[in-house]
Amino acid sequence: MTLGNYIRTEREACGLTGAKLALLTDVTPSWVSKVENDHVHPSIMLLAKIASALETPVMRMINLAHYIPQEVRAALMLASGDPRRRKATTHVERI
């Protein structure tokens, strides 16, 4: 299951429309649609807002969807000494 599929399933189970989830998370309805269709991936902060709106733990979303937010991936690469570290460092500094 992808992160987008999980979010759509949980949203529908909560009886929320994409527009209502967008309102609760301070994003646009088209952004919610892009997330649910896996065209974009939310930051860890937005993922936390989505989890809160869906009344589900953020770690459950991450675990079930096998999703690692970009910020976390970059930090792990930096900490592990990954050869792509320079790119990860640049990304972390921009956050």
Side-chain angles (χ1 to χ4, degrees):
M1 172 178 282
T2 68
L3 180 63
N5 291 4
Y6 180 79
I7 290 171
R8 175 179 286 124
T9 300
E10 288 297 305
R11 175 182 60 75
E12 291 172 348
C14 290
L16 297 175
T17 63
K20 182 64 176 179
L21 180 59
L23 183 65
L24 292 171
T25 56
D26 299 319
V27 298
T28 64
S30 71
W31 188 86
V32 170
S33 176
K34 289 176 184 176
V35 169
E36 289 183 348
N37 289 300
D38 296 307
H39 294 248
V40 297
H41 298 286
S43 68
I44 191 69
M45 296 303 290
L46 281 172
L47 194 60
K49 283 185 175 184
I50 293 168
S52 177
L54 299 176
E55 299 178 357
T56 188
V58 70
M59 288 307 298
R60 177 181 163 93
M61 293 175 71
I62 290 169
N63 288 335
L64 290 177
H66 305 289
Y67 174 73
I68 301 173
Q70 180 61 37
E71 303 95 314
V72 174
R73 196 174 309 127
L76 290 172
M77 285 172 52
L78 183 62
S80 71
D82 189 293
R84 296 170 290 179
R85 189 175 109 178
R86 180 182 168 125
K87 182 178 178 182
T89 304
T90 303
H91 180 73
V92 170
E93 290 172 352
R94 284 186 281 153
I95 293 174

